[in-house]
Amino acid sequence: MTAATTDLPTTFARASIAFAFGVTRPSSRSSRRFTNTLFAAAWLLLVAECTDAASMRQTEAGDDSAPQSQFLTVDGVKIHYWIQGRGEPVVLVHAWLSNAEANWIRPGTMAQLASHHHQVIALDLAGYGQSDAPDDPTAYGDGWVEQIKQLMDHLHIPKAHIVGYSMGGMVALKFLVLHPDRTLSGLLGGMGYLEVGGENQQNWTNMRRVQSRGAAQLALTPDQVNSVHVPVEIVVGSRDPVNEHYVAPLLKVRSDWPVVKIPGSGHITTVMAQRFKDEIVRWTAPH
């Protein structure tokens, strides 16, 4: 990826990230719509840039290199997911305004994990990708956590590593809190935690789209965060604004959780960084 291509989507996404992650607060509905559009455009530009390289990595990954597209109905909502590889399970949870393909398949993350003897499952959360997007708010937030649980039940997976990026990191952490018996470990990419009653939770509550507002349901209390007893790691870009607004508050509660910073990476570009993918492979190796 050239520097020019990296700068373009990063610039497009900056305003949207700043709003969602508590740095700024656009005052009008049109401003919020605009920042959402920029964020989505940034994902699309980065996905297009890395498609050829990701396809090459998948080809080199071996017999299980092709992810399989499948569907499952959870509480009346059709959920799309990808599955690839054999071995210890890893569940990948995508970012806000993204989907499993953009976040995990095209950057080559899924293929790399599969090549390291993992069964990798990447779902489109309700409201995103090829999954249904109902008007019912119960399909989002805590509904996303339930979708992961029921997908694991469907695939007869007793426990898995839960890896989330950005909003997916919030989902992952809520899963660790609610279903510790189903978790091998957790990795929070580009995320810390969303605190109950904080300004960041209010930012999500004020979002226009129901599938964006659902993230507000993922807020946790310090006591809930302290209840997590499985291994957890945080991986974040050194230039990511979530360091201040989400990671720092989490470290006040869980200073025992290690943090790996990807040098020079921001919130959008970290998912494409090879060091980020390598760190997921390292972390999900047998503990």
Side-chain angles (χ1 to χ4, degrees), residues 79-96:
I79 299 299
H80 173 256
Y81 66 96
W82 299 92
I83 186 166
Q84 180 177 11
R86 298 183 181 91
E88 195 168 64
V90 178
V91 175
L92 302 175
V93 191
H94 65 77
W96 179 53

Side-chain angles (χ1 to χ4, degrees), residues 114-224:
S115 72
H116 283 78
H117 310 293
H118 284 292
Q119 180 188 43
V120 192
I121 302 97
L123 75 160
D124 290 334
L125 299 170
Y128 296 91
Q130 300 181 55
S131 293
D132 285 348
D135 294 330
D136 183 359
T138 64
Y140 311 109
D142 289 337
W144 293 326
V145 176
E146 181 65 18
Q147 289 152 26
I148 295 172
K149 177 182 174 294
Q150 291 201 32
L151 178 56
M152 289 173 63
D153 291 343
H154 173 70
L155 296 173
H156 306 290
I157 295 173
K159 291 187 176 186
H161 301 281
I162 310 297
V163 177
Y165 193 80
S166 186
M167 185 187 77
M170 298 183 204
V171 179
L173 185 53
K174 190 71 176 277
F175 187 93
L176 303 189
V177 168
L178 296 180
H179 302 291
D181 57 320
R182 306 299 299 273
T183 308
L184 293 170
S185 76
L187 187 146
L188 311 181
M191 185 45 59
Y193 97 112
L194 184 65
E195 186 173 4
V196 167
E199 292 185 8
N200 290 329
Q201 185 184 25
Q202 189 60 49
N203 286 347
W204 289 103
T205 301
N206 292 338
M207 288 287 188
R208 181 178 61 88
R209 302 168 72 224
V210 64
Q211 53 265 65
S212 296
R213 291 196 304 272
Q217 300 176 33
L218 302 171
L220 297 166
T221 66
D223 285 346
Q224 286 178 304

Side-chain angles (χ1 to χ4, degrees), residues 42-65:
W43 275 114
L44 290 173
L45 284 167
L46 282 170
V47 166
E49 180 69 12
C50 71
T51 297
D52 290 343
S55 297
M56 183 180 299
R57 282 191 292 271
Q58 289 179 8
T59 300
E60 295 171 350
D63 292 338
D64 294 316
S65 62

